[in-house]
Amino acid sequence: MPSENSPQAYPDEGPETSGGGPETAPFEDELGEVLHRTGGSFTPADRTALVDAGLRRGRRRLARRRIAVVTGGALVLGAIGLGGVYGDGLSGGTAADGSTASGTASAEAPALITGAGAAPDGGLTGALARLLPEGELSGAVESLNGRATVRGVFDDGDGGAEVSVGLFRVDPTGAEDRVTCPARTYTPYDFCGTTELPDGSRLMILQGYVYPDRREDTKDWRAVLLTPDGYLVDANAYNAPAEKGAEVSRPEPPLDRARLQELVTSDEWRGTLRRLPAPRPDKETGGGRVEVEVATTFASLLPAGLKVYDQGRQDNEFAYAVVDDGQGRSLVQINVQTGMSDTVADLFGGATTLPDGTQVKVTKQPGEKGGAGVVQWTVDTLRPDGLRVVVSAFNSATQGSAATRPEPALTVEQLTALATSDKWVG
């Protein structure tokens, strides 16, 4: 990794707004689970962020792909990203096994913090304290479970703010695609930029928010560094003493872009990173890969006459588009996965069965992301061979913004036709 004295190369180019808030919900990924994997549930604890994260086979892959940022997208964050890039797993202080106690390394990594080569003089807490600006770090907690995290409240005289750092090892193959600014359709932010450092590391810096609907003005400024050999350092700084559940204590987090870069690129973390266990093989929980190109097929199946304002994809299983039929913008999103028969069969109680055996379940419900007046129409389908196609449409451009029209731009019949099209059969 670059040394602390290397020239500043933090991203200073990229989409930036005047701070008027973004449009939608992030992907709140539990980074710890994501990279324990790569595994977890991409949190969807939030089903709609990923068109029903209940596509459980994807729990492992969805989490991984969201590393694209999410708090997000990704680093998918984005439905798409590090979203929620990763999300609340890092600073929440909760290891995968629920432990938050410092000094209790897992059997996988019995000497993560102590011993030759580890961060000296106080372990991770000492390293974090040395790398922060002048001020006081209090309440620090270290968590060890196949990865290493440290968090605490830092006060430079302008108000206490939570600061956290997570250290992970990931499979570097294709991982650079995950350190990517998320789509604003899913992850609101004021600034995001990525750059490649001289040693080949990829750096992303994101200045966003904890809550996409801005119900609280807690800011999350984040830096993520991925090295060519698969070391990942993720740092977050907030403008409140805790990521969630605490009142804002200052206008901005205490670490600007330059400070965030210095924090994640410091050699202080190198010893601990070397001691982390190698990433586990990415074992799927069922099913095979999707044979069709989802984004292209999805676009070809959208009804004629729609103007497309925005579109994107995540891996080859998730795609979205913001469309307008002349009555207002509407978000439409799709998720396609194979081998889902045993995983999601319980979700299809009361479904209609088509002549070919495909089960079709239609739901209409209020939006779940805080947008005023938002409704979500979903058609969820499961074929006899385990192919699951889920399509949702909203009457807003993003799930977190107010409704722009009475109903989604696509009818239930159109959504059903899209989800049951023979084009999805690989």
Side-chain angles (χ1 to χ4, degrees), residues 4-309:
E4 294 175 78
N5 297 321
S6 61
Q8 292 183 352
Y10 61 90
D12 56 5
E13 307 257 347
E16 188 160 18
T17 71
S18 59
E23 317 173 305
T24 177
F27 315 82
E28 305 173 329
D29 298 348
E30 153 65 91
L31 176 56
E33 285 277 311
V34 168
L35 292 169
H36 200 337
R37 129 220 248 194
T38 339
S41 78
F42 167 12
T43 77
D46 169 349
R47 294 173 52 109
T48 47
L50 189 66
V51 192
D52 185 35
L55 302 170
R56 305 247 218 305
R57 171 197 124 219
R59 289 210 164 241
R60 201 175 286 267
R61 296 185 61 186
L62 292 181
R64 177 186 68 227
R65 63 175 83 146
R66 297 257 190 165
I67 274 188
V69 166
V70 168
T71 307
L75 281 161
V76 186
L77 348 174
I80 239 186
L82 252 190
V85 204
Y86 310 125
D88 26 71
L90 248 182
S91 58
T94 303
D97 61 357
S99 171
T100 60
S102 175
T104 55
S106 69
E108 249 184 294
L112 208 53
I113 296 299
T114 60
D121 303 328
L124 295 182
T125 300
L128 179 59
R130 289 190 294 275
L131 293 171
L132 292 173
E134 184 176 351
E136 179 181 357
L137 178 66
S138 61
V141 176
E142 296 179 7
S143 176
L144 312 175
N145 190 14
R147 61 194 188 274
T149 64
V150 58
R151 64 186 176 91
V153 177
F154 174 69
D155 193 342
D156 56 3
D158 293 328
E162 180 173 310
V163 176
S164 65
V165 176
L167 308 177
F168 308 85
R169 283 187 65 183
V170 301
D171 181 354
T173 305
E176 66 276 2
D177 292 337
R178 305 176 211 160
V179 187
T180 302
C181 291
R184 269 200 173 95
T185 296
Y186 288 91
T187 303
Y189 55 83
D190 293 332
F191 169 88
C192 187
T194 60
T195 190
E196 184 171 320
L197 302 182
D199 70 344
S201 296
R202 185 173 178 84
L203 173 69
M204 185 197 75
I205 293 183
L206 177 79
Q207 292 177 316
Y209 301 85
V210 171
Y211 298 99
D213 58 6
R214 304 291 296 278
R215 61 184 179 272
E216 294 181 18
D217 197 30
T218 311
K219 296 181 179 180
D220 178 5
W221 289 3
R222 161 184 236 158
V224 181
L225 179 79
L226 177 66
T227 70
D229 45 4
Y231 294 130
L232 190 144
V233 184
D234 181 8
N236 291 263
Y238 305 89
N239 62 333
E243 177 190 10
K244 296 181 178 179
E247 292 186 4
V248 168
S249 57
R250 51 192 295 149
E252 311 287 358
L255 305 181
D256 60 15
R257 298 176 201 168
R259 283 285 189 178
L260 283 168
Q261 178 182 342
E262 292 174 3
L263 184 59
V264 296
T265 58
S266 171
D267 288 339
E268 289 270 9
W269 311 117
R270 187 174 300 188
T272 300
L273 285 165
R274 287 172 176 165
R275 288 179 171 269
L276 292 174
R280 296 176 177 179
D282 184 18
K283 297 178 181 178
E284 297 294 344
T285 58
R289 65 189 182 92
V290 178
E291 299 292 342
V292 298
E293 211 298 313
V294 170
T296 302
T297 304
F298 173 57
S300 74
L301 291 171
L302 289 172
L306 296 175
K307 182 174 181 179
V308 178
Y309 282 93

